Amino acid sequence: MNLNFIRNIVFFIILVVIQALVLNHIRLFGCATPLLYAYFVLPMQRGQGKWATLLWCFAIGLAIDIFSNTPGVASASMTFVGMLQPYLLELFVPRDSAEDLTPSFRTLGVSKYVSYTVILVFLMCLAFFSLEAFNLYNWMQLVTSILGSTVLTAILILVIENVRNRR
């Protein structure tokens, strides 16, 4: 087996367990829920096949749906983000970089990685909460949920990434 595949499996399991057991029970100010499993798609390598990214994103979304009782919402939003991730990554990666580049603070730089993270998390939260609400009746609650969850999730991801890079 490939070492990268084993890392993805372990990362997958850790994120699903943390999300299902801890983070699903947090609701800051009645609107912000950390969706840490979005972190799974961020470090996907540049040269990885698009089908593999979509498959991994769908699988983690499906696992979150099973444990969080959100039928299809997480899998649809993660598949959407998995579809956009390779194209979004190309905006922040230099053209002459290696095909096996893994996005992080070290490889992209702090400002580019923060921008990459915030945009991807925002798109995931937009898809997730739009599918969850499925109407615009209470649009103010929808907007606050999207923005609050984006900020909370992005901060959590950036803190974890900073801790990972200090080792």
Side-chain angles (χ1 to χ4, degrees):
M1 278 195 173
N2 190 353
L3 184 62
N4 209 12
F5 181 76
I6 294 172
R7 282 187 193 147
N8 280 345
I9 291 287
V10 171
F11 193 42
F12 181 98
I13 292 169
I14 290 170
L15 285 176
V16 169
V17 167
I18 289 172
Q19 185 70 41
L21 297 179
V22 179
L23 298 177
N24 280 346
H25 304 289
I26 297 174
R27 189 112 171 121
L28 261 119
F29 307 116
C31 63
T33 303
L35 304 173
L36 186 63
Y37 60 92
Y39 186 34
F40 188 77
V41 74
L42 290 170
M44 295 243 175
Q45 290 182 348
R46 179 178 181 204
Q48 185 172 356
K50 292 177 182 146
W51 65 271
T53 303
L54 282 173
L55 190 62
W56 277 109
C57 288
F58 176 74
I60 195 164
L62 186 63
I64 294 297
D65 282 336
I66 290 169
F67 292 113
S68 300
N69 197 21
T70 55
V73 176
S75 55
S77 59
M78 280 301 290
T79 303
F80 172 69
V81 169
M83 179 184 68
L84 295 177
Q85 188 267 350
Y87 302 109
L88 186 64
L89 182 60
E90 289 299 319
L91 296 174
F92 295 103
V93 173
R95 293 193 190 274
D96 59 343
S97 62
E99 277 296 312
D100 62 345
L101 178 109
T102 302
S104 68
F105 279 136
R106 291 181 191 171
T107 57
L108 294 181
V110 175
S111 64
K112 285 184 179 181
Y113 188 77
V114 169
S115 300
Y116 169 67
T117 301
V118 169
I119 291 171
L120 213 57
V121 168
F122 173 74
L123 291 172
M124 204 280 291
C125 288
L126 178 69
F128 182 87
F129 288 108
S130 296
L131 288 172
E132 185 181 54
F134 209 65
N135 65 25
L136 294 175
Y137 178 71
N138 195 356
W139 65 273
M140 197 61 179
Q141 177 67 31
L142 178 66
V143 169
T144 56
S145 292
I146 291 169
L147 293 179
S149 295
T150 298
V151 168
L152 186 60
T153 304
I155 289 172
L156 193 60
I157 288 171
L158 293 172
V159 166
I160 292 170
E161 184 67 26
N162 192 23
V163 169
R164 282 182 65 190
N165 281 333
R166 289 194 181 201
R167 289 187 291 145

